[in-house]
Amino acid sequence: MNFTLKIWRQKDSASKGELTTYYTSDITSDMSFLEVLDKLNQELIKRGDDPVAFDHDCREGICGSCGMYINGRSHGPQRGGASCQLHMRSFKDGETIVVEPFRAKGFPIIKDLVVDRSAFDRIMQAGGFVSVDTGGTPDANAIPIPKKIADVAMNAASCIGCGACVAACKNSSAMLFVAAKVSQLALLPQGQTERKERVIAMLAQMDKEGFGSCTNTYSCEAECPKEISVTHIARMNREYLKAVLS
Amino acid sequence: MGTLLQFYTSSVGKKLAVGLTGLFLCSFLVVHLGINLFLFAGDGGESYNMYAEFMATNPLIKMLEVVLVVGFLLHIFTSVILWFKNRSARPERYAMYDAAASSELSSRVTLLTGSVVFMFLVIHLRTFWFGSRYGNEAGYTMYQLVMRAFGNPVYDLLYITSFVILGYHLRHGFQSAFQTFGINNSRYTRLIELIAAIFWLVVPILFAAIPLYFLRMHYMTGGIV
Ligand code: HEM
Ligand code: FES
């Protein structure tokens, strides 16, 4: 397969970037999107050009570092997968593919497709944790949790913090990310102690980082590689209301 | 007071204010429609004029009118602030942005549909609110004012279009408010969808039927009214 790639090139956070066109050939349909970028980078290095910078680590959809905006969508045209899980069979031979970084005020661009997502870390530091006494590893199943609740909490806990929700949202809202974290801990017994402070502190940090607010377009759920449900946002709104009113 | 301020300065608090005022405006729509349906009574406007008189003079209604104006202003003010904040959250736009792949159009154009509703409101208040209290030297009754206004097909078209747009605003808005309040899980989704359809479909249709009714009357009577 052959593709025309239009890739966002930007030297550093201070420079202005632009889309640059590259041509790739000899691509097979079972190659992943990141492998196509690897191949392109090999060619760029051979030519003495600067390779395209992009984040990646696990390449199996669990680390959340490979976020990029492909043909106008977070992680490209597929549903329920990260950019590293995107195969070239999702595209038509000869297609032009536009690749941009995740764009949001809260995600400043570092270089090319790499953005600084430490805003998410600061939101987590504001309250996305439980305080427990250290000691021996507790027994599994020492605290029974109903299956129904465990399933919902697991859906929230599957968030890999990639930022696809922010990137896809027309408001650059981080609500699905924050809601997944708040929801997961609000559902489980371990999260009860800091329940109220958590939701207030995490939302305050979210606002401080410059993310937009939610208008319930539900783009986030549609583009989330882990298909995390917007009902977690409803739960977080409820948590917030309860925390402020009591 | 401190809590309220803290609440309103947060993005989720503002969004809750939009939802709360939005649903309040929906309740107003129902009351307004209820009275308007007396236009169809076929009694030459007798019952309608009676209710209009009651609405215009009752002190309790007068007080509610102030609440309504505040509700509108709060809804508009808050949603416009949020819109600007949301726009500034992405300083550099995407070269390619396929919003249609992940969301409904109605959810992305609420400021536009809301603004059309606002412009409609200005014209509507000019005709009926202002028109009945000031500049009504001829002493028309409320029913006669309605009849005269809707005899004009251009005015009718404006009305009907506005209600289609309002319906589209509520197509997104009604269910969205429940998501905002945190009442969105599989148990209630169907019920909310059903009630939402009353608001985005049935209510606008009934409102739009009024100008059509009077337009028909206008032509049936050979344009006397
Ligand atoms: C009878 C008139 C109106 C009714 C019944 C109404 C109702 C609603 C409802 C129920 C919502 C949903 C709130 C939520 O998502 O939590 C909403 C949102 C909104 N309304 Fe209105 N509205 C009206 C007029 C207006 C006007 C005049 C504007 C003028 C600009 C406006 C602008 C907006 C905006 C921007 C939103 C935000 C929607 C979002 O967050 O996606 N609305 N409205
Ligand atoms: S590289 Fe880890 S999720 Fe894609």
Side-chain angles (χ1 to χ4, degrees), chain B residues 50-96:
Chain B
M50 205 180 76
Y51 277 102
E53 173 73 19
F54 172 78
M55 295 304 276
T57 51
N58 186 293
L60 188 71
I61 302 289
K62 286 255 179 218
M63 265 160 60
L64 280 180
E65 213 171 69
V66 177
V67 180
L68 181 64
V69 171
V70 172
F72 260 115
L73 293 182
L74 200 62
H75 186 77
I76 296 170
F77 179 72
T78 314
S79 57
V80 169
I81 292 186
L82 281 178
W83 188 82
F84 278 107
K85 177 176 182 277
N86 292 345
R87 269 193 74 89
S88 74
R90 181 164 293 140
E92 187 154 13
R93 314 258 109 200
Y94 285 111
M96 190 171 177

Side-chain angles (χ1 to χ4, degrees), chain A residues 18 44 56 69 83 96 98 122-123 141 165 182 197 220:
Chain A
E18 59 177 6
L44 290 179
H56 59 98
Y69 218 64
S83 301
T96 299
V98 179
R122 289 187 292 273
I123 293 173
N141 301 324
C165 44
V182 166
E197 299 82 47
C220 49

Side-chain angles (χ1 to χ4, degrees), chain A residues 8 19 69 71-73 79 98 100-105 166-172 175 200 203 206-207 210-219 222-223 230-231 233-234 237-238 240-241 244, chain B residues 3 6-7 9-13 15-16 82-83 85-86 88-99 101-104 107-110 172 175-186:
Chain A
W8 187 261
L19 284 174
Y69 218 64
N71 272 354
R73 301 185 57 186
R79 289 225 161 185
V98 179
E100 294 175 79
F102 280 177
R103 295 192 191 280
K105 192 157 101 189
V166 172
C169 175
K170 84 173 178 44
N171 312 317
S172 305
M175 287 285 275
I200 291 177
L203 280 172
M206 177 188 87
D207 283 346
F211 294 109
S213 86
C214 179
T215 60
N216 302 333
T217 69
Y218 309 143
S219 279
E223 299 290 42
V230 292
T231 54
I233 297 181
N237 290 339
R238 205 157 66 224
Y240 181 71
L241 207 54
V244 171
Chain B
T3 313
Q6 180 204 354
F7 186 67
T9 45
S10 78
S11 65
V12 174
K15 179 67 188 171
L16 281 159
L82 281 178
W83 188 82
K85 177 176 182 277
N86 292 345
S88 74
R90 181 164 293 140
E92 187 154 13
R93 314 258 109 200
Y94 285 111
M96 190 171 177
Y97 184 57
D98 188 0
S102 58
S103 62
E104 299 279 345
S107 73
R108 286 178 271 125
V109 293
T110 39
H172 169 73
Q175 59 77 30
S176 167
F178 287 89
Q179 164 80 1
T180 303
F181 302 151
I183 312 167
N184 176 10
N185 56 43
S186 43

Side-chain angles (χ1 to χ4, degrees), chain B residues 208-224:
Chain B
I210 297 166
L212 285 176
Y213 175 80
F214 283 100
L215 191 65
R216 181 166 172 273
M217 191 190 282
H218 179 77
Y219 286 116
M220 296 268 285
T221 56
I224 303 167

Side-chain angles (χ1 to χ4, degrees), chain A residues 171-245:
Chain A
N171 312 317
S172 305
S173 169
M175 287 285 275
L176 190 63
F177 168 75
V178 182
K181 303 304 177 190
V182 166
S183 202
Q184 176 201 337
L185 297 175
L187 283 163
L188 300 176
Q190 292 89 339
Q192 299 312 307
T193 319
E194 294 127 328
R195 190 166 172 176
K196 279 185 203 162
E197 299 82 47
R198 175 182 304 115
V199 62
I200 291 177
M202 288 182 82
L203 280 172
Q205 189 64 34
M206 177 188 87
D207 283 346
K208 223 197 279 172
E209 299 290 350
F211 294 109
S213 86
C214 179
T215 60
N216 302 333
T217 69
Y218 309 143
S219 279
C220 49
E221 178 182 303
E223 299 290 42
C224 173
K226 298 295 160 187
E227 303 183 300
I228 293 172
S229 164
V230 292
T231 54
H232 294 299
I233 297 181
R235 181 174 296 103
M236 176 166 71
N237 290 339
R238 205 157 66 224
E239 290 288 319
Y240 181 71
L241 207 54
K242 272 197 278 189
V244 171
L245 293 181

